Every structure is written in C-alpha cells, then in structure tokens.
C-alpha cells in the first residue's frame, strides 16, 4: 500500500532558494488512524537524531511562493438518458429496487455520434468560458479517465480540439473514480513547483462500454459524463487548495477491476513451434467485476478517515466547511460518510439520482451543477473525496473562486 499526504502553508516568508512544494510521504497500514507527516526541509547540514529523524532546529522550511485557485467549471453529458424502468426491460430489476439500494433513478449513456472526447471538450470549453481564459493561455491539460478512446491517451485530442496552438503539455491520469482528486493535486503541484499558470483538469469516463448489461448488480450503477475545472496560479494569500490526503491499496484490486483478457478464438500464427505462445493473442478488457459489499465497507471506512486527515492538516473541522462533495457512487455511501463527519444533509452536494456513477466525472459534474445553480459561491470551502478501483482513495480541502 502507498499513501501520500500534503499540506500547503503559504503564510511564511519565501526564502531566497529554489522553491519546491512541501509534501510529506509516509507508509502505513490500510486506512491509518494516525498520519505521520514529514516536512521536507532545506539546510546546509544533514543533522539527524539518533532515531534517524532529521532535526528541524535552525532550519528554514521550504514554503510555497505561489498559490492556486479554482476559477471555472463546466460539464458535458450524453444525449441518451436511461431510466431504471428502461433497465427493468432488459434485466430482472425495478425502479424501486435500484433507487432504494443506490439512490440512482437515471443515467446518461454514450450513443450515436456521442464520444467521450466530445463530452470532455464540451466541458472544457464551458470551464474556460466561465474562467475567462483563452485556450491559447492554457499551460497544461490533465485528462482524468480510465476509459480513453485511444490506448495511448485522450488528453492531446482535447488540446487539439480546443485550439491550443502553443502545444501545451497534455496527458492522462488513470485512477478510476479517484482520478479527479489526483488531477487537482497534480495541477497544484505543476503550478507551485513548475511555474504553470493555467491548468485545465478534465474528469471524463464512459464506463457503459465496460458494463455487462445482463448483470443487474453492476449495470444499474454506471453512467457516462465529463466535467472540467480551470485551476489558475495566484498569490499565496489567495491560495485555494489547503491540504490533501491520497492513498492506494493494490490488495483491494480483487474487489473492483476490469482486467485484460485474451481472445481465446485468436490462434497463434504458424505451426513450426519455434517460439511457444508467440505471437501473443489479441486482448481486450473484461466487463467491470465488483464485490459491492466489500467496496461499500472500504468506502465508509476509509473515506471519512481521509477527509478527517485533510481537515486536520488544513486546520479545519467538519463544521468549518461549507460543502461536502464525494464521488457519486452510492447514496448510502454518501449518507454514511456525511454522518461520520457530522455534516448535515443540507451541506452535502449530490446529483447521483440523475447521472449514476460517472467515475472520474462525478465530482466536477456535481460541482458544475452546484456552481451554476447558485449553491456553491465564491469563497466557499469544499471537502472533496474520491474513491474507487485500484483500490485508490483520497481527499482535498479546496476553496471555490
């Protein structure tokens, strides 16, 4: 298992040295209750205690000379809406059975001329328009997705379609339903440590392409969508990413996966037997395999701990945030986490009923609706958390605007 936690502290004066983001790295058991944060320090000497821990006495901590803030959002959804009643015509289920267990009533699914890249570009354009940022001023495009339309990634196609003529860097981040949170943290690191000014973060997935539509345990859950935000460099005192906490546990992969499978009908070429099992068979991905009970237990146990860790590092409590925004996977998970954190339902953002689980798109999609609907206003603090396949999970405390 690997985990990373971060705390940004922009208030201290900036030393005249090369600046790098302050970040702590630690190893721990699954869902640690106690987080050990090592602050990276710069010094001309390598003083250590007998325990091996570097002393912070007479040292200047590396600090943040630049902040980052969220200034625009957008979303894109497919044309085709599939209701629970529609699903009841193809699998043994009902609207009541699905809504009671998941909170989902409808979902959007790619069809016809819809494409995931098209949705991502639509979301990106809306975010850029709200942020009043020209595509040519974008320094980096991050595409958070586990379902790219090209094996080698979709981010460069977004950059192309937006008309970013300066050829900014564009790459994909694959972390399933945690992808967007990782995108936020990655963007902040590029701004703080790399001198980037405007970063476009897109979360988009089309899990409907990997669903077994005869399995009522999974086909009822997923939908397709895209969401995007623009993160911009700012003065340190305006910083809008207060803290984060990120984890992974590969042992949990057995509970949620879509693994590579070989095509059994693809026979090896030739018969001389000079090289066994060559050429390789053509492969593809299996449909999504999920142990729902285990994933639920994982989420309600680990997600609150991650948010509590981020809040502690940000110097906040649950009452100090304006909104709780979780990956939209299951309403029971959202309710359980909110209860654990003592966040009342009126401060929980959820649009799960209309879209289902849209993986990396779910957080920016819900954020966009809340901002455009007038719920989330400039200056509001939001506790954001993603969790899903990998297993991966993480949280961040951000300020909108």
């Amino acid at each position: 298992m690997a985990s990373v936690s971060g705390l940004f502290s922009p208030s201290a004066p900036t030393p005249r040295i090369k600046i790098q983001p302050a970040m702590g790295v630690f190893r721990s058991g699954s869902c640690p209750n106690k987080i050990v944060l090592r602050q990276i320090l710069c010094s001309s000497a390598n003083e250590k205690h007998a325990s091996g821990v570097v002393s912070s006495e007479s040292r200047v901590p590396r600090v943040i000379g630049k902040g980052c803030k969220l200034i625009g959002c957008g979303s894109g959804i497919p044309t085709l809406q599939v209701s629970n009643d529609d699903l009841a015509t193809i699998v043994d289920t009902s609207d009541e059975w699905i809504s009671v267990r998941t909170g989902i009533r409808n979902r959007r699914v790619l069809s016809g001329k819809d494409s995931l890249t098209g949705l991502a570009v639509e979301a990106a354009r809306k975010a850029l328009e709200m942020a009043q940022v020209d595509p040519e001023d974008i320094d980096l495009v991050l595409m958070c997705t586990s379902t790219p339309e090209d094996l080698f990634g979709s981010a460069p196609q977004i950059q192309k379609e937006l008309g970013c003529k300066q050829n900014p860097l564009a790459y994909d981040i694959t972390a399933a339903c945690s992808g967007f949170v990782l995108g936020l943290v990655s963007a902040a690191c590029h701004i703080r440590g790399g001198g980037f000014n405007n970063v476009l973060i897109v979360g988009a997935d089309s899990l409907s392409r990997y669903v077994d539509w005869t399995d009522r345990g999974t086909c009822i859950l997923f939908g397709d969508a895209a969401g995007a935000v623009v993160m911009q460099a700012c003065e340190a005192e305006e910083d809008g990413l207060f803290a984060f906490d990120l984890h992974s546990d590969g042992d949990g992969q057995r509970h949620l996966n879509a693994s590579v499978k070989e095509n059994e009908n693809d026979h090896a070429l030739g018969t001389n037997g000079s090289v066994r099992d060559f050429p390789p068979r053509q492969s593809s991905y299996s449909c999504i395999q999920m142990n729902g009970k285990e994933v639920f237990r994982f989420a309600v146990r680990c997600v609150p701990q991650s948010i509590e860790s981020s809040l502690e590092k940000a110097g906040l409590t649950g009452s100090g945030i304006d909104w709780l925004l979780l990956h939209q996977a299951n309403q029971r998970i959202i309710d359980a986490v909110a209860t654990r954190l003592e966040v009342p339902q009126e401060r929980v953002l959820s649009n799960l009923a209309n879209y289902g689980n849209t993986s990396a798109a779910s957080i920016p999609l819900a954020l966009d609706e809340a901002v455009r609907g007038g719920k989330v206003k400039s200056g509001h603090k939001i506790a954001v958390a993603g969790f899903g396949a990998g297993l991966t999970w993480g949280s961040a405390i951000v300020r909108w605007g």
Side-chain angles (χ1 to χ4, degrees), residues 3 9 19 27 69 118-119 131 134 143 146 160 174 177 197 201 245 261 295 328 344 349 365 378 394 400:
S3 51
S9 305
I19 304 299
R27 296 184 180 276
K69 59 183 179 180
L119 296 183
D134 191 276
M143 172 64 157
S146 296
K160 171 192 171 185
T174 303
C177 304
N197 289 314
I201 310 156
D245 180 72
K261 64 176 182 179
V295 172
Q328 306 288 291
L349 298 176
L365 175 62
S378 181
W400 176 254

Side-chain angles (χ1 to χ4, degrees), residues 212 218 253-259 286-291:
D212 178 356
T218 56
Q253 185 260 358
R254 66 188 189 276
H255 299 312
L256 180 55
N257 62 78
S259 302
S286 70
C287 291
I288 296 170
Q289 308 293 316
M290 185 177 71
N291 183 329

Side-chain angles (χ1 to χ4, degrees), residues 87 89 120 158 201 216-217 250 258 310 324 393:
L87 290 180
T89 65
I158 298 173
I201 310 156
R216 74 169 186 170
S310 288
L324 175 65
W393 67 102

Side-chain angles (χ1 to χ4, degrees), residues 219-234:
C219 76
I220 64 173
L221 300 174
F222 300 103
D224 306 332
V229 298
V230 176
M231 182 179 284
Q232 188 174 74
C234 63

Side-chain angles (χ1 to χ4, degrees), residues 332-401:
R332 287 181 173 179
I333 293 175
I334 295 172
D335 293 344
V337 174
T339 299
R340 164 77 178 268
L341 297 173
E342 298 182 344
V343 176
Q345 287 300 314
E346 58 268 23
R347 291 199 284 122
V348 179
L349 298 176
S350 177
N351 63 356
L352 176 70
N354 295 324
Y355 302 106
N357 180 343
T358 57
S359 191
S362 75
I363 292 174
L365 175 62
L367 175 64
D368 184 49
E369 287 198 343
V371 170
R372 294 178 187 274
K375 281 188 173 182
V376 173
K377 303 181 186 301
S378 181
H380 280 184
K381 297 183 182 71
I382 311 170
V384 178
F387 53 92
L391 296 169
T392 59
W393 67 102
S395 61
I397 309 302
V398 301
R399 179 170 54 212
W400 176 254

Side-chain angles (χ1 to χ4, degrees), residues 253-272:
Q253 185 260 358
R254 66 188 189 276
H255 299 312
L256 180 55
N257 62 78
S259 302
V260 168
K261 64 176 182 179
E262 291 184 341
N263 185 350
E264 297 297 334
N265 295 323
D266 185 34
H267 299 290
L269 299 177
T271 58
N272 58 15

Side-chain angles (χ1 to χ4, degrees), residues 146-376:
S146 296
T147 57
E149 293 178 322
D150 187 310
L151 176 64
F152 302 114
S154 293
Q157 292 305 305
I158 298 173
Q159 172 247 307
K160 171 192 171 185
E161 293 298 324
L162 289 175
C164 303
K165 297 179 181 179
Q166 301 301 317
N167 299 115
L169 175 63
Y171 65 88
D172 286 20
I173 294 176
T174 303
C177 304
S178 304
F180 184 74
V181 175
L182 269 66
L184 287 176
V185 175
S186 298
C189 290
H190 278 289
I191 289 173
R192 298 172 189 282
F196 290 68
N197 289 314
N198 295 303
V199 180
L200 174 65
I201 310 156
V202 181
D205 267 308
S206 54
L207 290 180
S208 67
R209 292 169 168 168
Y210 300 92
V211 164
D212 178 356
W213 290 98
T214 67
D215 175 16
R216 74 169 186 170
T218 56
C219 76
I220 64 173
L221 300 174
F222 300 103
D224 306 332
V229 298
V230 176
M231 182 179 284
Q232 188 174 74
C234 63
E235 296 300 321
E237 56 269 19
E238 298 177 329
D239 186 62
L241 176 57
F242 303 125
F244 64 87
D245 180 72
L246 306 174
H247 302 265
S248 64
D249 182 4
D251 188 55
Q253 185 260 358
R254 66 188 189 276
H255 299 312
L256 180 55
N257 62 78
S259 302
V260 168
K261 64 176 182 179
E262 291 184 341
N263 185 350
E264 297 297 334
N265 295 323
D266 185 34
H267 299 290
L269 299 177
T271 58
N272 58 15
S274 59
V275 180
R276 187 177 181 183
D277 294 330
F278 183 84
R281 292 188 178 97
Q282 293 291 316
S283 62
S284 60
Y285 289 100
S286 70
C287 291
I288 296 170
Q289 308 293 316
M290 185 177 71
N291 183 329
K293 291 183 179 180
E294 288 299 326
V295 172
F296 180 88
R297 292 191 186 104
F298 144 70
V300 299
R301 183 178 70 250
C302 294
V303 174
Q305 290 181 4
S306 179
I307 296 173
E308 287 169 344
S309 176
S310 288
L311 286 169
E312 181 180 358
K313 285 177 288 211
L316 296 170
T317 62
S319 62
I321 60 171
D322 297 290
W323 300 101
L324 175 65
L325 175 52
L326 305 180
H327 162 53
Q328 306 288 291
N330 183 300
Q331 193 61 45
R332 287 181 173 179
I333 293 175
I334 295 172
D335 293 344
V337 174
T339 299
R340 164 77 178 268
L341 297 173
E342 298 182 344
V343 176
Q345 287 300 314
E346 58 268 23
R347 291 199 284 122
V348 179
L349 298 176
S350 177
N351 63 356
L352 176 70
N354 295 324
Y355 302 106
N357 180 343
T358 57
S359 191
S362 75
I363 292 174
L365 175 62
L367 175 64
D368 184 49
E369 287 198 343
V371 170
R372 294 178 187 274
K375 281 188 173 182
V376 173

